[in-house]
């Protein structure tokens, strides 16, 4: 069972700049990479709490993926086959999981790589039409 003191310690932990693990302020060094505590403290980001930035990062995902979804449905409804699953995956990773870069990467892979898998069949259709004209 976690006590209230342990919860407060988890909130007050520092973030190691090398390995990105949580470091209690009372420890002598980072437990993962053994970076001295003075270096951990010296490399903390000034101003604002980390939780506010995390919330803002997650909230920015809502208009980004909502805008992509709306624009696709209004301007490119035929691309919705690829864009809608990409938006769902990107939204889930960005907003719900808090992984904006992973969400953007998954979005791009689904929108760019998945249609690229169909290029050979599209090229076959184009070449078939070209040879029938000649």
């Amino acid at each position: 069972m976690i006590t209230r003191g342990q919860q407060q310690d988890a909130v007050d932990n520092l973030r190691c700049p090398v390995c990105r693990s949580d470091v209690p302020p009372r420890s002598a060094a980072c437990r993962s990479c053994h970076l001295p505590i003075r270096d951990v403290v010296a490399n903390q980001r000034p101003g604002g709490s980390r939780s506010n930035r995390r919330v803002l990062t997650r909230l920015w995902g809502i208009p980004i993926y909502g805008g992509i979804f709306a624009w696709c449905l209004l301007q490119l409804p035929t691309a919705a086959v690829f864009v809608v699953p990409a938006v769902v995956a990107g939204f889930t990773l960005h907003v719900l999981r808090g992984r904006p870069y992973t969400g953007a990467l998954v979005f791009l892979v689904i929108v760019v790589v998945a249609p690229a898998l169909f290029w050979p069949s599209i090229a076959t259709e184009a070449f078939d039409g070209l040879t029938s004209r000649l």
Side-chain angles (χ1 to χ4, degrees):
M1 179 175 218
I2 297 174
T3 65
R4 184 161 176 81
Q6 289 172 338
Q7 288 176 345
Q8 186 63 31
D9 286 345
V11 172
D12 294 337
N13 281 347
L14 303 171
R15 175 76 59 171
C16 178
V18 177
C19 65
R20 301 285 181 215
S21 62
D22 288 334
V23 181
R26 288 182 243 125
S27 67
C30 175
R31 293 177 182 158
S32 300
C33 66
H34 306 293
L35 184 70
I37 194 69
R38 68 177 176 274
D39 293 334
V40 173
V41 171
N43 287 301
Q44 295 302 302
R45 293 183 183 163
S49 69
R50 282 184 277 164
S51 63
N52 288 344
R53 278 180 269 170
R54 289 179 190 158
V55 169
L56 282 175
T57 300
R58 287 180 178 214
L59 289 178
W60 269 107
I62 296 170
I64 290 170
Y65 290 107
I68 291 170
F69 178 75
W71 182 82
C72 173
L73 290 182
L74 292 174
Q75 300 296 322
L76 299 169
T78 56
V81 173
F82 296 106
V83 175
V84 171
V87 164
V88 170
F91 180 86
T92 302
L93 288 168
H94 188 138
V95 177
L96 301 179
R97 297 284 184 169
R99 306 279 185 198
Y101 295 117
T102 307
L105 182 67
V106 167
F107 175 83
L108 289 174
V109 165
I110 293 173
V111 169
V112 174
V113 174
L117 297 174
F118 293 105
W119 288 347
S121 64
I122 294 169
T124 303
E125 182 73 27
F127 287 131
D128 186 39
L130 180 65
T131 57
S132 66
R133 290 183 189 174
L134 297 174

